[in-house]
Amino acid sequence: MTTTVTSHRSRPPAQPTSLRARRLPWYAAPAIAVAALTLSAVIVYGTDTGGPVLVVALGAILYLVGLFAAANAVEGRRSARNRTWSALIHSAFVLAVLPLVSVVWTLVSKGADRLDVTFFQTSMNNIGARDANGGAYHAILGTLEQVGIATLITVPLGILCAIYIVEYGRGKFAFAIRFFVDVMTGIPSIVSGLFVLAFWVLVVSPWFNDGRPSFSGFAAALALSVLMLPTIVRSTEEMLRLVPAPLREGAYALGVPKWKTILRVVLPTALPGIVTGVMLAIARAAGETAPVLLVAGGGAAINTNPFENNQSSLSLFVYQQAGDASKYAPARAWTAALTLVALVLILTIAAKLLARRNRLAR
């Protein structure tokens, strides 16, 4: 019997296995996007069925199809699915950012025409339809006073209410408070204005004005407080619930009273989220028009006293100027809108920096 032994030297050398998977080149996705947009433009304009919006929409669909086909051919089905879903996520992000960018660009481009010293130092008192001057000083002052008073009223009430719901509230009473807060969240702004008009302006204000009802900036602040309160309560409640229970238990184990634990441990931990909720409420209040129109009346003159006489606000100023027949009114409206957005942005950044500084200091 003969046994044939093949030497290992006669075997062909094994081919090294590549550990790197095949991937599309970096320029593949941009090239597919350009090709998709080009093909989409040819289809849309060639058939005369639409404009640039349809070109972009059809191009996005063609891009996703082309990207999936190319990735499936080179990288495999699993990688193709991953690339397609990543493209969808990025597209959703772009769609979400585009309206914001469009709003900011529109405000800056159209609101820059009246960004001058006169706009911020004068009012609309004695300004006629053919007068290009006039400003929003009275409206800026009214917004700051009304929103400031509303914040001073609402923030302590909202935070204390949220603390009661989370830390102390049990049973039907706490459930009822939470239910009514949820209901108040959806109240239209004009309803809060009508409530303050019926209660404060028509019933309470005559006691301080020789029996005559009186509009005032304080009445507008009360109406704005009604709108701000549910937002602050709900946001603060959620932030307090996110504070880890071991933080409270550790303080209790050291013999710290409950009220001091809330004040020194729970609230500082939840402070950034609480500040965010407060700023959201302030932003909503600063942009409301109907309550100010109903209970403050508006006005063209400067009124530094929020407790008597008519008072305007930036949102009401924008509303009035947008409907004015003067050719100079639209520019004032756009500049006032830009000022309102900038004011809310400045307050938000300042509040965030203050909350961050306090957190780091601890």
Side-chain angles (χ1 to χ4, degrees):
M1 181 177 180
T2 305
T3 303
T4 303
V5 179
T6 305
S7 174
H8 67 279
R9 295 180 179 178
S10 62
R11 295 177 181 175
Q15 297 294 329
T17 302
S18 176
L19 297 180
R20 299 183 62 183
R22 298 175 61 191
R23 296 188 62 84
L24 288 173
W26 64 268
Y27 55 83
I32 294 173
V34 172
L37 286 176
T38 304
L39 179 60
S40 175
V42 171
I43 294 174
V44 172
Y45 291 118
T47 58
D48 196 18
T49 55
V53 176
L54 184 59
V55 170
V56 174
L58 182 60
I61 297 175
L62 294 177
Y63 168 72
L64 293 175
V65 173
L67 182 64
F68 180 83
N72 186 40
V74 176
E75 300 176 348
R77 182 170 294 273
R78 183 175 181 180
S79 180
R81 290 177 178 175
N82 179 63
R83 280 184 176 272
T84 304
W85 281 106
S86 298
L88 283 172
I89 293 173
H90 287 95
S91 301
F93 169 76
V94 172
L95 288 176
V97 171
L98 278 179
L100 177 61
V101 175
S102 176
V103 169
V104 173
W105 172 254
T106 304
L107 285 176
V108 173
S109 60
K110 295 188 176 183
D113 294 339
R114 282 301 313 274
L115 280 178
D116 49 45
V117 178
T118 303
F119 184 82
F120 295 100
Q121 290 185 347
T122 60
S123 67
M124 291 298 296
N125 197 26
N126 298 324
I127 298 297
R130 298 183 179 181
D131 195 344
N133 295 321
Y137 176 77
H138 63 298
I140 297 173
L141 185 64
T143 296
L144 292 176
E145 290 185 351
Q146 294 163 19
V147 175
I149 294 174
T151 303
L152 292 177
I153 295 173
T154 311
V155 170
L157 289 177
I159 294 178
L160 290 175
C161 183
I163 290 174
Y164 172 80
I165 293 174
V166 176
E167 303 292 340
Y168 296 97
R170 299 293 185 273
K172 295 182 179 180
F173 185 64
F175 175 79
I177 294 177
R178 191 178 296 109
F179 173 76
F180 283 111
V181 168
D182 292 338
V183 171
M184 288 178 62
T185 304
I187 290 180
S189 59
I190 195 170
V191 175
S192 67
L194 289 172
F195 168 73
V196 175
L197 176 66
F199 171 69
W200 181 266
V201 176
L202 299 180
V203 177
V204 178
S205 67
W207 297 354
F208 307 97
N209 196 37
D210 298 329
R212 294 173 299 177
S214 175
F215 290 160
S216 64
F218 181 73
L222 292 179
L224 297 179
S225 298
V226 176
L227 299 175
M228 293 173 62
L229 184 60
T231 303
I232 294 177
V233 172
R234 290 297 295 166
S235 60
T236 304
E237 178 187 355
E238 295 302 324
M239 291 302 104
L240 293 179
R241 293 187 186 279
L242 291 178
V243 176
L247 291 178
R248 297 180 176 89
E249 296 169 356
Y252 297 154
L254 294 174
V256 181
K258 187 171 185 176
W259 68 268
K260 187 174 289 188
T261 300
I262 296 172
L263 185 63
R264 302 299 297 273
V265 176
V266 178
L267 286 179
T269 305
L271 183 61
I274 295 174
V275 170
T276 301
V278 171
M279 295 313 303
L280 288 175
I282 290 176
R284 181 190 178 185
E288 292 293 345
T289 304
V292 182
L293 180 62
L294 283 174
V295 300
I302 299 172
N303 179 19
T304 59
N305 187 355
F307 296 99
E308 61 181 30
N309 297 329
N310 292 20
Q311 194 176 57
S312 185
S313 68
L314 275 172
S315 58
L316 182 56
F317 181 82
V318 172
Y319 171 76
Q320 292 172 339
Q321 292 299 310
D324 200 316
S326 172
K327 66 177 182 179
Y328 304 106
R332 299 190 195 107
W334 282 112
T335 306
L338 178 61
T339 304
L340 180 60
V341 173
L343 183 62
V344 173
L345 178 62
I346 292 172
L347 292 176
T348 302
I349 293 175
K352 287 288 187 179
L353 292 177
L354 181 61
R356 180 183 178 186
R357 179 180 179 183
N358 290 340
R359 183 174 56 180
L360 293 177
R362 290 189 296 273

